[in-house]
């Protein structure tokens, strides 16, 4: 027969603690000065894999937007306008 499925154990940026999924992202090194921790951990308040995946994707998207905004603000003085 075929090899067993290699389905991911947890949705991206999540882990299970007990029955509850948690969101987990490391702070990018270029933004570390703005944080007091090396990673963000937030309870997704669900034990449902599908719900956790949806919530983690939404949270990750918002975090990426925030980090982009932080990066833009730090480089704005160096932009040259002609």
């Amino acid at each position: 027969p075929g090899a067993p499925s290699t389905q991911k154990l947890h949705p991206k940026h999540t882990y299970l603690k007990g029955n509850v999924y948690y969101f987990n992202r490391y702070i990018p090194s270029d933004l570390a000065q703005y944080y007091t921790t090396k990673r963000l951990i937030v309870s997704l308040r669900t034990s449902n894999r599908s719900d956790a995946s949806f919530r983690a994707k939404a949270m990750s998207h918002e975090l990426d937007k925030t980090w982009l905004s932080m990066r833009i603000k730090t480089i704005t003085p160096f932009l040259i306008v002609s």
Side-chain angles (χ1 to χ4, degrees):
S5 172
T6 56
Q7 182 181 5
K8 290 179 74 171
L9 186 58
H10 303 297
K12 188 172 184 178
H13 301 302
T14 69
Y15 67 91
L16 258 179
K17 183 176 179 182
N19 259 355
V20 178
Y21 280 95
Y22 283 76
F23 176 80
N24 174 50
R25 287 260 329 244
Y26 283 91
I27 306 299
S29 58
D30 63 316
L31 299 176
Q33 65 188 3
Y34 302 107
Y35 292 87
T36 58
T37 184
K38 292 183 178 190
R39 65 182 180 158
L40 298 174
I41 301 172
V42 179
S43 173
L44 295 174
R45 298 181 180 182
T46 185
S47 58
N48 181 285
R49 187 180 194 284
S50 179
D51 289 345
S53 179
F54 178 81
R55 293 174 189 183
K57 284 178 188 175
M59 191 171 286
S60 189
H61 177 72
E62 289 302 316
L63 196 51
D64 285 338
K65 286 180 6 183
T66 298
W67 287 343
L68 177 60
S69 176
M70 292 169 73
R71 288 179 173 118
I72 289 171
K73 287 177 183 175
T74 62
I75 64 168
T76 300
F78 302 107
L79 293 177
I80 298 172
V81 179
S82 54

